[in-house]
Amino acid sequence: DIQMTQSPSSLSASVGDRVTITCRASQSISIYLNWYQHKPGKAPKLLIYGASTLQSGVPSRFSGSGSGTDFTLAISSLQPEDFATYYCQQSYSTPWPFGQGTKVEIK
Amino acid sequence: QVQLQESGPGLVKPSETLSLTCSVSGGSVSSVSYYWSWIRKPPGKGLEWIGHIFYTGTTNYNPSLKSRVTISLDTSKNQFSLNLTSVTAADTALYYCAREFRRGTFDYWGQGTLGTVSS
């Protein structure tokens, strides 16, 4: 199976900061990479699919980039509602594993 | 707006079967455009895809769970269900149902239901 590794596992940041999260696949997955935001007690939310396509309704401060094995999620200016856990997930081959998550906390 | 809601017993004994149902509103499980998936998150661990079903009844399961999982569809009730047999404490998790709008990509999720395995 393809393994997905996210870094960092957690980070502290302030409102207004630029934040980047990295996801690495154990083998090439082209651009079959998705990003989700998850808040406790809520449904996970799809932010980006196909490595860089913003899901409808997602603010433009979120962006995704990368291809092959290395991918990045960027938040250009962190807002209070962005404090959450973020997961990458490959949709190249089943069983479509997720990364272990990156928790974004308030500094 | 598509909404998904999981339901089922929260507590199951070891070796028994965990049965959960996902009720879909604002969309149809009979749609030719989507698969319907189950995903879980054990405490302190990451998300794990369990399997999915298409309106034809075609299923695909995570190999790590394949021998114990069955996903089924009830089009009359616009629901789909998960059965996980021979459960152990390792199956304790938040269980989510989700719509798969493109291959392996989940655009709508339920809020999750806790499935606890304990005697």
Side-chain angles (χ1 to χ4, degrees):
Chain A
D1 289 357
I2 298 173
Q3 309 299 318
M4 307 301 295
T5 303
Q6 278 180 246
S7 61
S9 56
S10 65
L11 65 89
S12 295
S14 301
V15 172
D17 285 352
R18 177 179 175 82
V19 168
T20 58
I21 299 169
T22 298
C23 180
R24 175 164 288 176
S26 59
Q27 66 186 72
S28 177
I29 57 170
S30 184
I31 60 167
Y32 293 96
L33 191 284
N34 308 315
W35 290 98
Y36 300 86
Q37 178 192 66
H38 191 201
K39 298 179 182 179
K42 294 203 167 184
K45 178 182 179 181
L46 176 65
L47 298 176
I48 288 167
Y49 62 93
S52 62
T53 301
L54 205 62
Q55 172 68 345
S56 175
V58 174
S60 59
R61 63 181 179 272
F62 291 93
S63 64
S65 62
S67 66
T69 60
D70 294 314
F71 302 87
T72 300
L73 172 70
I75 309 172
S76 60
S77 177
L78 200 65
Q79 297 302 300
E81 60 267 30
D82 300 336
F83 292 96
T85 300
Y86 293 84
Y87 294 94
C88 65
Q89 176 242 339
Q90 65 91 351
S91 54
Y92 180 81
S93 63
T94 58
W96 296 320
F98 293 76
Q100 78 277 20
T102 296
K103 188 173 184 178
V104 176
E105 299 175 302
I106 302 173
K107 182 183 278 186
Chain B
Q1 178 79 349
V2 176
Q3 292 187 317
L4 295 89
Q5 178 68 58
E6 304 89 348
S7 61
L11 182 63
V12 181
K13 291 182 169 54
S15 79
E16 295 187 343
T17 297
L18 176 68
S19 296
L20 300 174
T21 296
C22 182
S23 300
V24 179
S25 58
S28 172
V29 299
S30 299
S31 171
V32 302
S33 301
Y34 309 110
Y35 281 77
W36 303 92
S37 277
W38 286 97
I39 296 161
R40 70 181 184 178
K41 186 184 181 310
K45 295 189 176 181
L47 294 158
E48 178 183 40
W49 178 73
I50 299 170
H52 67 197
I53 189 165
F54 196 45
Y55 81 102
T56 56
T58 300
T59 54
N60 192 9
Y61 301 128
N62 189 323
S64 68
L65 298 167
K66 188 173 183 176
S67 63
R68 300 192 291 125
V69 172
T70 303
I71 297 175
S72 57
L73 208 56
D74 187 337
T75 56
S76 66
K77 295 181 179 178
N78 212 31
Q79 296 175 336
F80 62 106
S81 297
L82 168 71
N83 271 9
L84 182 64
T85 63
S86 305
V87 297
T88 69
D91 295 309
T92 292
L94 262 174
Y95 285 81
Y96 296 95
C97 57
R99 188 180 82 169
E100 196 177 321
F101 85 112
R102 36 189 286 153
R103 179 179 164 82
T105 304
F106 311 102
D107 62 342
Y108 287 99
W109 298 59
Q111 293 203 328
T113 189
L114 182 61
T116 302
V117 179
S118 175
S119 55

